[in-house]
Amino acid sequence: MPRTGRPPVTSRAEILTTARRLIDDDGWEKLTIRRLAAELGIGPTTLYHHVRDKEALLLLLLNEYAEQAAPPDLPGDPRERVVAAAQALHDGLAEWPWAAEVLTVDGFVGRLRAPALRLVEAILDGAVGCGLTREQAVDVFRTIWYYTVGEILVRARSARRGDITFTDFDPERVPTLAAIGERWPELVARDVYPEGLRALVGGLIGTARESD
């Protein structure tokens, strides 16, 4: 008798498309191999033939996203190239905040394919173009990376938790906080990443040059 029902899935593209849809609908935290397999109509064991675990699946999604994205048009000036590449990295992660969570390890660059490393290369190359050594360029990238990922994760988690009221500050102990009071959520919601990034890059490059 011929088989009935949905045939086993062997396409990696279909697996990644379904995983992306589940993440978009319910968030990456609720994505599991078992749930993805059920959505595809196959058993978890079959799915494990394609992806080792959830982390490997998310890395595949990141690499596919980077391969499909058009590379940004970066300026020729090396310092401006560092700023523009970092901003593009930030903007990409802002669309996929879960990606920042997955990449919160210093060795993540060894787990991505070349298209996903374009912006990392642009930051390093720009720093070297500003007169820094390769070692100093790595320090610049690492600091920018921490700043960027921190900003993305704090904003993503703050959005999930909602507003918190700031009304109980003791003006004798924390007078500045007490004066800000209820304006705190409004003030921290402002997008000051570009200004902070530019100041950070300028300070990092200037300090590295002075240390030579």
Side-chain angles (χ1 to χ4, degrees), residues 151-169:
E151 203 266 354
I152 293 293
L153 293 181
V154 168
R155 286 197 177 278
R157 292 173 182 174
S158 298
R160 290 198 298 266
R161 294 190 60 173
D163 291 338
I164 301 175
T165 303
F166 295 82
T167 58
D168 298 325
F169 294 126

Side-chain angles (χ1 to χ4, degrees), residues 107-151:
F108 80 90
V109 295
R111 310 182 69 184
L112 299 176
R113 295 195 292 266
L117 297 175
R118 284 186 296 234
L119 297 176
V120 178
E121 169 67 20
I123 293 172
L124 295 172
D125 178 67
V128 171
C130 290
L132 276 58
T133 66
R134 290 189 179 92
E135 291 77 10
Q136 290 171 325
V138 171
D139 293 339
V140 167
F141 169 76
R142 194 162 175 247
T143 304
I144 291 172
W145 176 245
Y146 286 0
Y147 171 59
T148 300
V149 169
E151 203 266 354

